[in-house]
Amino acid sequence: MGSYRWAYPDVQANTETMFVFDGDLVVVTKTEPSRVYRFDGPLMPFTVNVPTYVGTLPVGHVLSIAAMSADQRTLAFSNHGKIDVYENRGDVHDLAALISNPIFQQKMASDNREGGSFFPYGSCDIVLVAESKTLWRLRNR
């Protein structure tokens, strides 16, 4: 456990959303459009860590949740009003391909959704939780 300093290479932005992809930490700006950055390798103490820009999400902005499936093929993003699901049908190690392919979008009742994951682990269902203590379970289509 520790704390690590980091900075975007090109912008200053609020960030609430992160996930692990292929063993690397990925952060997503809480902006419109949402920009995706990846730390290549482990974070280093006593220095400012700078991630690499991967791309911009074609849909989804002001994000507060990211959930990555166990097989790294499906990625869900949510904000306070909708969920967007992305899928990579090619190389599971290609983050740029994954974030370029939205396959599903659903509007939801507005609420301060702040956490979510695939549930049970390894399944295709997604569970989201809000500050209001409301839970949503979105079943695999």
Side-chain angles (χ1 to χ4, degrees):
M1 187 158 124
S3 62
Y4 301 89
R5 295 182 359 200
W6 68 281
Y8 286 115
D10 51 0
V11 297
Q12 291 293 326
N14 184 10
T15 304
E16 288 188 14
T17 306
M18 67 180 178
F19 60 96
V20 174
F21 182 82
D22 216 16
D24 293 329
L25 179 63
V26 177
V27 293
V28 182
T29 62
K30 191 173 183 177
T31 59
E32 188 173 342
S34 295
R35 297 171 57 87
V36 179
Y37 296 82
R38 181 179 187 167
F39 290 93
D40 299 315
L43 297 176
M44 303 300 293
F46 312 113
T47 188
V48 176
N49 296 272
V50 179
T52 302
Y53 173 73
V54 176
T56 300
L57 296 177
V59 297
H61 63 279
V62 193
L63 302 172
S64 56
I65 299 170
M68 172 63 67
S69 66
D71 66 2
Q72 293 196 157
R73 290 200 180 277
T74 308
L75 178 60
F77 289 109
S78 183
N79 60 22
H80 299 266
K82 67 182 176 99
I83 185 166
D84 300 302
V85 179
Y86 290 75
E87 186 173 78
N88 185 351
R89 297 176 186 175
D91 180 2
V92 295
H93 305 287
D94 188 348
L95 180 58
L98 174 62
I99 66 167
S100 70
N101 192 10
I103 61 164
F104 176 77
Q105 183 178 87
Q106 180 175 331
K107 292 188 178 194
M108 303 175 70
S110 185
D111 202 347
N112 289 344
R113 278 180 283 283
E114 298 290 341
S117 187
F118 286 86
F119 180 80
Y121 180 76
S123 79
C124 294
D125 292 353
I126 299 170
V127 173
L128 303 171
V129 63
E131 290 178 1
S132 66
K133 299 183 182 143
T134 303
L135 291 171
W136 289 268
R137 184 172 185 173
L138 289 84
R139 299 210 180 266
N140 181 22
R141 47 180 164 60

